[in-house]
Amino acid sequence: MIDVFLERRLPRPLGSKVVRALTLEGQPCFDLHRIQWQESLLARDGQRLVCHFQAPDVESARIGLRQAGADVSSLWGGTVHAAPGLKDSELTEGNVLVERHFAAPVTFEAIQALENAGAACLSNHRVRFLRTHFSLDRQRMHCLYQAPDAESVRLAQHQAGMPVSSIWAFQRIVPADTTAQP
């Protein structure tokens, strides 16, 4: 199984209940293609969404998600890298996502070295790194943080000299979560 990510910009805001309902509606297609929904990260304004799945391969995910009615134009395979010592329960503290896009492929180690060099900037703004999603083509990355707000992350990233495409606050929606906000 590999990790697969679906990015969406939504024409109108959605709430977490709608995201959950749409995902559960697609379950028969997911089952058929052995796709497992891991989580969705919904922007606070309801207009951006990143869904994380595990599937046998990207093509299985593409077929199953398309059959479930999803726009798969921004679907990509990747790897997940958690902060050292991170417990699964600590992922619930994540609330800000940083998107990074690269014109040419980069190595995870090169970006991690930049992140490590800027650790003091993160600490100064009370920003804690939790996890990274890194694309197989090495040209896209999502970094999840726990922070007071998106602006704190923006300042820390700028001061650390990190490449940033966009930064947004999110709420995490997981399959077993019954407490997600509307």
Side-chain angles (χ1 to χ4, degrees), residues 67-109:
Q67 287 177 354
D71 173 359
V72 294
S73 57
S74 285
L75 180 74
W76 49 275
T79 55
V80 175
H81 306 267
L86 183 73
K87 297 179 179 89
D88 286 342
S89 61
E90 294 174 305
L91 279 175
T92 62
E93 299 171 10
N95 63 335
V96 178
L97 184 141
V98 173
E99 294 180 48
R100 305 184 202 286
H101 297 98
F102 310 103
V106 299
T107 65
F108 177 77
E109 293 76 20

Side-chain angles (χ1 to χ4, degrees), residues 16-21 24 37-42 44 91-94 170-182:
S16 62
K17 289 181 182 178
V18 172
V19 171
R20 175 180 306 290
L24 294 177
W37 176 41
Q38 301 298 302
E39 67 181 346
S40 293
L41 308 175
L42 178 64
R44 292 286 176 190
L91 279 175
T92 62
E93 299 171 10
F170 69 83
Q171 60 180 307
R172 184 172 185 247
I173 306 164
V174 295
D177 183 8
T178 57
T179 62
Q181 299 169 5

Side-chain angles (χ1 to χ4, degrees), residues 93-96 125-128 145-150 152-153:
E93 299 171 10
N95 63 335
V96 178
H125 292 280
R126 299 181 327 195
V127 174
R128 179 176 171 220
Y145 296 91
Q146 185 277 319
D149 52 40
S152 298
V153 176

Side-chain angles (χ1 to χ4, degrees), residues 47-85:
Q47 295 193 286
R48 292 185 196 192
L49 181 66
V50 172
C51 298
H52 175 195
F53 300 94
Q54 287 189 331
D57 52 58
V58 176
E59 193 56 28
S60 295
R62 186 178 320 283
I63 292 167
L65 288 163
R66 187 179 299 125
Q67 287 177 354
D71 173 359
V72 294
S73 57
S74 285
L75 180 74
W76 49 275
T79 55
V80 175
H81 306 267

